[in-house]
Amino acid sequence: QVRLVESGGGSVQAGGTLKLTCVYSGYTGDVTYMGWFRRRPGQEREGVARILWNYEDRHYAKFVEGRFTISRDRRRNMVYLQMSNLRPDDTAMYYCAAGTRGGIANRLSPADYTTWGRGTQVTVSA
């Protein structure tokens, strides 16, 4: 059974850092990319970053460029989101997701993903 489990969320002050971890358990043979999404209070889920599973290609939402870094460890089936210079408007539930479509694209739409974790809460105070 395929499962994604996020961890690493917490409460930090503005300007602080957090590193989120996503563990993928199950068959990864079909996975072509992994992504991080977030849902801020009262907002729709939005794409934050994605990384290709087999190639070093990353894409970020403009609102996190230069502050967040996505990476992955294929041997351990883990994906990470290093977040720095956090702002209060980064407060959200953060989700890890896996997708299986072919080709290289932004893949920051939730519709591009088939498997989701339950999320980890990030709270940034001013």
Side-chain angles (χ1 to χ4, degrees):
Q1 182 179 358
V2 173
R3 199 164 73 123
L4 298 176
V5 179
E6 304 94 334
S7 63
S11 297
V12 296
Q13 290 188 324
T17 63
L18 280 174
K19 185 174 183 177
L20 306 184
T21 298
C22 172
V23 179
Y24 187 111
S25 59
Y27 179 64
T28 63
D30 294 332
V31 174
T32 53
Y33 48 90
M34 300 284 291
W36 284 97
F37 288 76
R38 70 184 188 185
R39 187 192 299 273
R40 295 185 290 170
Q43 303 293 317
E44 297 291 321
R45 190 173 299 194
E46 59 186 354
V48 175
R50 76 98 178 106
I51 187 168
L52 298 185
W53 193 243
N54 295 309
Y55 300 95
E56 289 292 338
D57 185 87
R58 298 167 173 82
H59 186 75
Y60 297 92
K62 289 199 178 298
F63 52 80
V64 301
E65 278 184 347
R67 299 189 300 125
F68 292 9
T69 301
I70 188 171
S71 60
R72 51 114 171 89
D73 183 334
R74 290 186 296 169
R75 184 171 52 86
R76 300 174 66 188
N77 284 354
M78 288 185 173
V79 180
Y80 308 99
L81 186 67
Q82 178 70 50
M83 305 186 294
S84 60
N85 194 19
L86 283 161
R87 308 186 300 222
D89 62 0
D90 292 318
T91 294
M93 183 71 80
Y94 283 75
Y95 301 89
C96 175
T100 60
R101 293 184 180 180
I104 298 177
N106 293 347
R107 304 294 186 208
L108 290 184
S109 167
D112 287 330
Y113 294 79
T114 55
T115 304
W116 293 83
R118 293 189 174 185
T120 184
Q121 178 68 37
V122 171
T123 302
V124 185
S125 58

